[in-house]
Amino acid sequence: MATFFRRKAAAVTLGVLALTLAGGGIAVAQPATKAPAEVAQPGARLSGATGQPPVTPAEAKQARAALKASLAPPASGSVAWAVVASDGTLLQHSANVVSSTRYGTGQYQVLLDYSVVGKAFQATIGTNDQFNVPPAGEIAVAPRNQTPNGVFIQTYSSSGSVSSKPFHLFVAN
């Protein structure tokens, strides 16, 4: 009986070793072709139109001045918000929102008077008209390059092409 268990243990050990090596070989295998950008990064599907515009010296100066103007950072758990028209006009906003800028078709920046590094952003297509029916479309939000108190927003049509849309932005603190 002892010989039977020894043979069975050796067979199980070799089986586990073979499966481990086979599984490791599969995990290490590299695909022959790279996945297209739209599969790996949905936000990168349109080349050229999705990059943030460079920060000009005047914009950097405006952002630094907005940071210095802050009396106190918002309390933990509070929310800063803004309603922005498709032309970049700041329609309504909370006290910490300083300005909004439209760079081109569908590209916007919203400046706050405190650093938003590490904060949570959410944006949605929306209006402030009396019927409150927003246009169809898509929106993406990200920290603004080289601007710690800026949020970058990109809006798209439903087909995925860059398009200027009104939006609501929320920054959770």
mmCIF file of all heavy atoms in Angstrom, residues 36-46 50 138 156:
data_model
loop_
_atom_site.group_PDB
_atom_site.id
_atom_site.type_symbol
_atom_site.label_atom_id
_atom_site.label_comp_id
_atom_site.label_asym_id
_atom_site.label_seq_id
_atom_site.Cartn_x
_atom_site.Cartn_y
_atom_site.Cartn_z
ATOM 1 N N PRO A 36 -4.516 47.809 -31.260
ATOM 2 C CA PRO A 36 -4.689 49.201 -31.688
ATOM 3 C C PRO A 36 -4.948 50.107 -30.487
ATOM 4 O O PRO A 36 -5.436 49.669 -29.454
ATOM 5 C CB PRO A 36 -5.891 49.163 -32.629
ATOM 6 C CG PRO A 36 -6.526 47.828 -32.454
ATOM 7 C CD PRO A 36 -5.524 46.923 -31.799
ATOM 8 N N ALA A 37 -4.642 51.380 -30.639
ATOM 9 C CA ALA A 37 -4.759 52.338 -29.534
ATOM 10 C C ALA A 37 -6.171 52.430 -29.003
ATOM 11 O O ALA A 37 -6.374 52.598 -27.814
ATOM 12 C CB ALA A 37 -4.277 53.722 -29.989
ATOM 13 N N GLU A 38 -7.177 52.303 -29.871
ATOM 14 C CA GLU A 38 -8.543 52.449 -29.385
ATOM 15 C C GLU A 38 -8.977 51.281 -28.509
ATOM 16 O O GLU A 38 -9.901 51.404 -27.735
ATOM 17 C CB GLU A 38 -9.538 52.659 -30.531
ATOM 18 C CG GLU A 38 -9.643 51.501 -31.499
ATOM 19 C CD GLU A 38 -8.724 51.630 -32.691
ATOM 20 O OE1 GLU A 38 -7.870 52.515 -32.701
ATOM 21 O OE2 GLU A 38 -8.857 50.832 -33.615
ATOM 22 N N VAL A 39 -8.309 50.141 -28.617
ATOM 23 C CA VAL A 39 -8.619 49.008 -27.751
ATOM 24 C C VAL A 39 -7.923 49.195 -26.406
ATOM 25 O O VAL A 39 -8.509 49.000 -25.353
ATOM 26 C CB VAL A 39 -8.186 47.684 -28.407
ATOM 27 C CG1 VAL A 39 -8.343 46.530 -27.442
ATOM 28 C CG2 VAL A 39 -8.994 47.442 -29.670
ATOM 29 N N ALA A 40 -6.658 49.603 -26.434
ATOM 30 C CA ALA A 40 -5.888 49.760 -25.210
ATOM 31 C C ALA A 40 -6.298 50.999 -24.432
ATOM 32 O O ALA A 40 -6.378 50.982 -23.217
ATOM 33 C CB ALA A 40 -4.398 49.823 -25.544
ATOM 34 N N GLN A 41 -6.564 52.095 -25.107
ATOM 35 C CA GLN A 41 -6.908 53.364 -24.472
ATOM 36 C C GLN A 41 -8.073 53.984 -25.219
ATOM 37 O O GLN A 41 -7.885 54.613 -26.255
ATOM 38 C CB GLN A 41 -5.717 54.336 -24.532
ATOM 39 C CG GLN A 41 -4.630 54.028 -23.558
ATOM 40 C CD GLN A 41 -4.973 54.533 -22.182
ATOM 41 O OE1 GLN A 41 -5.994 55.151 -21.956
ATOM 42 N NE2 GLN A 41 -4.119 54.270 -21.227
ATOM 43 N N PRO A 42 -9.305 53.844 -24.720
ATOM 44 C CA PRO A 42 -10.435 54.431 -25.435
ATOM 45 C C PRO A 42 -10.303 55.927 -25.652
ATOM 46 O O PRO A 42 -10.740 56.450 -26.660
ATOM 47 C CB PRO A 42 -11.629 54.136 -24.531
ATOM 48 C CG PRO A 42 -11.206 52.977 -23.715
ATOM 49 C CD PRO A 42 -9.720 53.101 -23.566
ATOM 50 N N GLY A 43 -9.677 56.650 -24.733
ATOM 51 C CA GLY A 43 -9.529 58.089 -24.874
ATOM 52 C C GLY A 43 -8.542 58.487 -25.954
ATOM 53 O O GLY A 43 -8.474 59.632 -26.359
ATOM 54 N N ALA A 44 -7.740 57.537 -26.441
ATOM 55 C CA ALA A 44 -6.717 57.846 -27.431
ATOM 56 C C ALA A 44 -7.145 57.493 -28.844
ATOM 57 O O ALA A 44 -6.332 57.367 -29.723
ATOM 58 C CB ALA A 44 -5.423 57.100 -27.084
ATOM 59 N N ARG A 45 -8.430 57.342 -29.096
ATOM 60 C CA ARG A 45 -8.882 56.880 -30.394
ATOM 61 C C ARG A 45 -8.742 57.911 -31.492
ATOM 62 O O ARG A 45 -8.644 57.564 -32.646
ATOM 63 C CB ARG A 45 -10.298 56.374 -30.313
ATOM 64 C CG ARG A 45 -11.291 57.413 -29.920
ATOM 65 C CD ARG A 45 -12.659 56.812 -29.808
ATOM 66 N NE ARG A 45 -13.462 57.751 -29.032
ATOM 67 C CZ ARG A 45 -14.533 57.443 -28.398
ATOM 68 N NH1 ARG A 45 -14.949 56.223 -28.410
ATOM 69 N NH2 ARG A 45 -15.196 58.347 -27.732
ATOM 70 N N LEU A 46 -8.752 59.194 -31.162
ATOM 71 C CA LEU A 46 -8.596 60.231 -32.178
ATOM 72 C C LEU A 46 -7.234 60.881 -32.015
ATOM 73 O O LEU A 46 -6.976 61.570 -31.050
ATOM 74 C CB LEU A 46 -9.686 61.307 -32.039
ATOM 75 C CG LEU A 46 -11.126 60.823 -32.191
ATOM 76 C CD1 LEU A 46 -12.092 61.946 -31.854
ATOM 77 C CD2 LEU A 46 -11.357 60.327 -33.595
ATOM 78 N N THR A 50 -7.053 64.891 -29.301
ATOM 79 C CA THR A 50 -7.331 64.614 -27.900
ATOM 80 C C THR A 50 -6.254 65.116 -26.960
ATOM 81 O O THR A 50 -6.447 65.091 -25.760
ATOM 82 C CB THR A 50 -7.508 63.109 -27.668
ATOM 83 O OG1 THR A 50 -6.300 62.463 -28.080
ATOM 84 C CG2 THR A 50 -8.685 62.572 -28.436
ATOM 85 N N GLU A 138 -20.405 62.730 -25.509
ATOM 86 C CA GLU A 138 -19.497 62.078 -24.584
ATOM 87 C C GLU A 138 -18.576 63.140 -23.994
ATOM 88 O O GLU A 138 -18.375 64.200 -24.578
ATOM 89 C CB GLU A 138 -18.663 61.021 -25.304
ATOM 90 C CG GLU A 138 -19.488 59.939 -25.953
ATOM 91 C CD GLU A 138 -18.662 58.960 -26.772
ATOM 92 O OE1 GLU A 138 -17.440 58.886 -26.551
ATOM 93 O OE2 GLU A 138 -19.235 58.297 -27.626
ATOM 94 N N TYR A 156 -17.183 65.366 -26.875
ATOM 95 C CA TYR A 156 -17.309 64.694 -28.162
ATOM 96 C C TYR A 156 -18.778 64.577 -28.548
ATOM 97 O O TYR A 156 -19.653 64.577 -27.686
ATOM 98 C CB TYR A 156 -16.738 63.266 -28.090
ATOM 99 C CG TYR A 156 -15.316 63.190 -27.645
ATOM 100 C CD1 TYR A 156 -14.992 63.056 -26.296
ATOM 101 C CD2 TYR A 156 -14.281 63.230 -28.566
ATOM 102 C CE1 TYR A 156 -13.679 62.971 -25.883
ATOM 103 C CE2 TYR A 156 -12.952 63.143 -28.151
ATOM 104 C CZ TYR A 156 -12.671 63.015 -26.816
ATOM 105 O OH TYR A 156 -11.370 62.937 -26.399
#
